[in-house]
Amino acid sequence: MRSVGPVLAVIAVIVALWYAAAVGMNAAWVRDQAARAGTEVSFLQIVPQTMAQERPVLPAPHQVAKGLWDGVTGQAITSKRSLVYHGWITLSATLLGFGIGTGLGILLAVGIIHNRAMDQSVMPWAIASQTIPILAIAPMIIVVMNSIGVSGLLPKAVISAYLSFFPVVVGMVTGLRSPDAMQLDLLRTYNAGRGQTFWKLRLPASMPYLFASLKVGIAASLVGAIVGELPTGAVAGLGARLLQGSYYGQTIQIWAALFAAAFVAAALVGIVGAVQAAVLKRMGMAR
Amino acid sequence: MMTDGSASDRPVIDAQKVGLTFQTADGPVHALKDVNLRVLKGDFVSFIGPSGCGKTTFLRAVAALEHPTEGRLLVNGMTPEEARKRRAYGYVFQAAGLYPWRTIAGNIRLPLEIMGFSRPEQDRRVKDVLQLVELEGFGKKYPWQLSGGMQQRASIARALAFDADILLMDEPFGALDEIVRDRLNEALLKLWARTGKTIGFVTHSIPEAVYLSTRIVVMSPRPGRITDVIESPLPRERPLDIRDSAEFIAIAHRVRDGLRAGHSYDD
Ligand SMILES: Nc1ncnc2c1ncn2[C@@H]1O[C@H](COP(=O)(O)OP(=O)(O)O)[C@@H](O)[C@H]1O
Ligand SMILES: [Mg+2]
């Protein structure tokens, strides 16, 4: 908690800059309105008006905060206008995708370290898969899966998994290979088999690497779920909220959804971090 | 010591014309050449020589971690692989290499789990070897809570836990300071006297080799070979101050001469 001071200072600076930007960017509209009405406006009159528009170019922080607050607490959580409702839709796809991606990533990593052919064949494909822009892949996945009758949660989860398996593969391959030659030799002197080497040495040694990857992976999963909601004209989810906001110029709604997504991401990464701390502590690896 | 019949007459380690060549990108490296050595049950054999003379390679070959390319190497009358399968030896590396996620007791338990000892048997053995290396009461600690010397003692306990009758140690105290090393040497001799194990011990230090060993194998590099084998006339019971005795100094001289004769300090 010693870092609270600096963090608050940074936030204060960002908020101040944001207000300044809001005034600057929204002022044009105020001046236009005044010109149309044939009136003159002074700077001091402009400032409050830049922060109270319904569709500002850049909403002021307090407008976003209010939008967020209304979205979270102002509605029944089953309402289509509730951010909790949309957040949950996105979160469920995120978690399912994260689960699939993590499982797949670990399986691939285990295969890669135990099988030479997989080592040489899987990694290049995994890397190639990540060089294709997700925005190009997402609509194809959704369309293809829709055509075979799968829609809703699963296609989004697949996109989520597509983004989150990669950090897990990379982290786990590194982690499972982290034991040095001496530690492997020691097990050979016990005549340990591959399975024993895996369970007793490689897997526990990989835990710090796994958790580092999971933190990246869960954030990527959330991005994947949101992106998965964009191309389909989905009606629910934070991605849908973003898209609708941009159709109707509801900038406050866009920003509120963005912040909701950011808070969800922070919470998810925080939860993974807490699990990491607990697991490593139980393993005696936290000092 | 050597009175219990035929089993003792058979060498525990029997190397005949053993050679080991590594094929590397820069051509072959002759790590061992023409190595002949017989180690008997209960011997404490030290290997001394400048780095690169093949000490580690020889120990690893005995442990079936490397494979001789020439000659014949037998451990307890078997190939090193067979001997390993029968848990003939425990190996102690220079670094303790304890698993940070296991307690000291958990680390000592590791070979026992792998070898399939029952849980009560594991507990009994862990307790016994902790006592043997004087680490009673540290079983529940994690490695990072122990000093380097204590960690190395734990790693020796780990190698002793499954009752191998050969203990192979590759510069086990090389990374420790002089004072700790003296204490561990003393403890090791006691442990050797109590357990009657055969010990192969690699070291860089002449006093350490002379203090510990019943036989000192002097080696020299390029190609790695044995230049002298010195039988120690020192009694098995050795207080630390034996190192000031004339006999001790005489053996140390001979070791030093052997090292020089192998013109091993030309680098
Ligand atoms: N795995 C290996 N591959 C190639 N050369 C090796 C390998 N292990 C050891 N050597 C070489 O064999 C020689 C003997 O090494 P080593 O047995 O480690 O010596 P020592 O333990 O006496 O210092 C050295 O020249 C070393 O470079
Ligand atoms: Mg060595």
Side-chain angles (χ1 to χ4, degrees):
Chain A
M1 285 298 112
R2 63 209 135 71
S3 53
V4 164
V7 169
L8 287 181
V10 169
I11 290 177
V13 169
I14 290 173
V15 169
L17 285 175
W18 187 351
Y19 270 113
V23 170
M25 294 171 80
N26 300 337
W29 185 80
V30 178
R31 280 202 204 90
D32 278 0
Q33 293 294 71
R36 231 171 277 168
T39 54
E40 278 285 317
V41 282
S42 72
F43 180 72
L44 282 181
Q45 287 169 309
I46 289 178
V47 171
Q49 288 188 46
T50 58
M51 297 183 195
Q53 297 169 13
E54 209 172 298
R55 293 173 184 185
V57 177
L58 177 65
H62 68 269
Q63 289 180 295
V64 174
K66 184 165 179 302
L68 198 55
W69 184 254
D70 284 350
V72 173
T73 63
Q75 330 281 337
I77 57 167
T78 49
S79 154
K80 290 259 156 39
R81 298 175 59 189
S82 166
L83 275 175
V84 178
Y85 166 78
H86 292 288
W88 168 247
I89 300 276
T90 303
L91 182 64
S92 54
T94 301
L95 293 179
L96 181 60
F98 177 65
I100 297 172
T102 302
L104 184 70
I106 292 176
L107 283 182
L108 283 176
V110 171
I112 285 172
I113 61 142
H114 281 119
N115 184 309
R116 238 185 106 70
M118 270 189 85
D119 184 16
Q120 286 168 354
S121 58
V122 173
M123 223 27 178
W125 284 107
I127 293 167
S129 77
Q130 302 301 302
T131 62
I132 305 169
I134 186 63
L135 280 171
I137 292 269
M140 297 195 313
I141 292 176
I142 297 207
V143 168
V144 167
M145 290 187 75
N146 269 334
S147 74
I148 56 169
V150 183
S151 61
L153 183 65
L154 202 55
K156 291 193 282 176
V158 167
I159 295 167
S160 244
Y162 183 89
L163 284 189
S164 63
F165 89 95
F166 185 67
V168 176
V169 173
V170 173
M172 275 308 269
V173 167
T174 312
L176 292 172
R177 284 193 175 141
S178 65
D180 59 28
M182 193 207 81
Q183 286 178 312
L184 293 170
D185 280 344
L186 181 69
L187 288 183
R188 275 175 70 199
T189 70
Y190 304 148
N191 219 30
R194 277 183 153 204
Q196 287 170 318
T197 304
F198 179 80
W199 291 109
K200 301 223 182 272
L201 175 59
R202 291 190 189 275
L203 193 63
S206 72
M207 282 302 125
Y209 298 83
L210 174 64
F211 280 107
S213 305
L214 291 186
K215 283 187 191 164
V216 181
I218 192 120
S221 284
L222 181 65
V223 172
I226 291 174
V227 169
E229 289 162 350
L230 293 180
T232 49
V235 288
L238 292 176
R241 258 332 246 182
L242 285 173
L243 204 62
Q244 285 161 6
S246 72
Y247 282 159
Y248 303 114
Q250 299 279 9
T251 44
I252 297 177
Q253 176 182 328
I254 297 177
W255 282 86
L258 270 180
F259 270 86
F263 287 132
V264 171
L268 289 175
V269 172
I271 290 168
V272 173
V275 174
Q276 170 181 35
V279 169
L280 294 188
K281 182 153 189 278
R282 260 216 79 191
M283 288 175 75
M285 283 157 88
R287 312 225 158 153
Chain B
M1 261 307 189
M2 308 280 168
T3 50
D4 52 2
S6 62
S8 318
D9 303 337
R10 187 185 68 199
V12 173
I13 299 170
D14 188 5
Q16 288 169 34
K17 291 189 174 278
V18 166
L20 201 154
T21 305
F22 290 108
Q23 300 301 338
T24 70
D26 309 332
V29 175
H30 301 285
L32 294 174
K33 193 164 168 59
D34 237 347
V35 169
N36 294 297
L37 185 71
R38 305 178 123 221
V39 176
L40 298 182
K41 186 166 165 46
D43 270 353
F44 195 128
V45 181
S46 285
F47 298 85
I48 189 165
S51 50
C53 70
K55 308 181 293 291
T56 296
T57 304
F58 184 72
L59 225 58
R60 288 174 62 84
V62 172
L65 295 173
E66 306 286 357
H67 304 283
T69 47
E70 288 154 54
R72 200 173 67 131
L73 180 61
L74 294 179
V75 179
N76 285 339
M78 299 170 255
T79 66
E81 277 86 5
E82 282 167 350
R84 170 167 76 198
K85 286 191 185 115
R86 301 203 189 174
R87 303 171 198 157
Y89 65 84
Y91 202 106
V92 179
F93 295 86
Q94 176 165 7
L98 301 171
Y99 290 1
W101 57 87
R102 282 178 176 247
T103 59
I104 297 303
N107 270 285
I108 296 171
R109 203 183 292 283
L110 174 71
L112 303 175
E113 288 172 6
I114 288 171
M115 294 170 183
F117 286 84
S118 74
R119 188 70 199 207
E121 181 67 14
Q122 289 177 19
D123 292 340
R124 192 184 64 73
R125 283 167 179 262
V126 167
K127 194 163 156 276
D128 284 357
V129 291
L130 275 176
Q131 208 160 22
L132 212 54
V133 298
E134 293 169 12
L135 280 179
E136 303 102 319
F138 288 93
K140 290 204 171 72
K141 296 261 190 259
Y142 280 96
W144 58 270
Q145 296 172 300
L146 269 59
S147 70
M150 289 162 94
Q151 290 188 25
Q152 197 51 284
R153 255 151 56 203
S155 93
I156 293 171
R158 182 178 59 186
L160 292 171
F162 50 93
D163 270 351
D165 42 46
I166 310 172
L167 196 53
L168 302 173
M169 310 175 87
D170 190 354
E171 299 190 42
F173 309 140
L176 303 173
D177 66 63
E178 195 77 22
I179 298 160
V180 176
R181 185 190 266 236
D182 277 354
R183 287 201 21 233
L184 289 182
N185 281 340
E186 224 181 342
L188 181 60
L189 274 187
K190 262 196 234 152
L191 193 148
W192 171 61
R194 275 172 65 186
T195 58
K197 303 220 183 265
T198 311
I199 299 186
F201 188 96
V202 169
T203 179
H204 261 123
S205 153
I206 297 176
E208 188 172 64
V210 178
Y211 176 64
L212 291 173
S213 325
T214 56
R215 292 165 83 204
I216 302 158
V217 176
V218 182
M219 298 179 71
S220 85
R222 282 178 297 267
R225 63 197 185 280
I226 295 177
T227 49
D228 196 6
V229 178
I230 301 163
E231 300 282 340
S232 173
L234 297 179
R236 286 194 165 228
E237 191 88 16
R238 298 174 187 182
L240 267 178
D241 56 19
I242 203 170
R243 294 181 299 185
D244 301 323
S245 72
E247 265 175 320
F248 187 99
I249 292 164
I251 306 167
H253 263 287
R254 191 170 153 198
V255 175
R256 191 168 293 119
D257 287 345
L259 289 171
R260 266 201 212 110
H263 49 82
S264 41
Y265 286 120
D266 54 6
D267 45 359

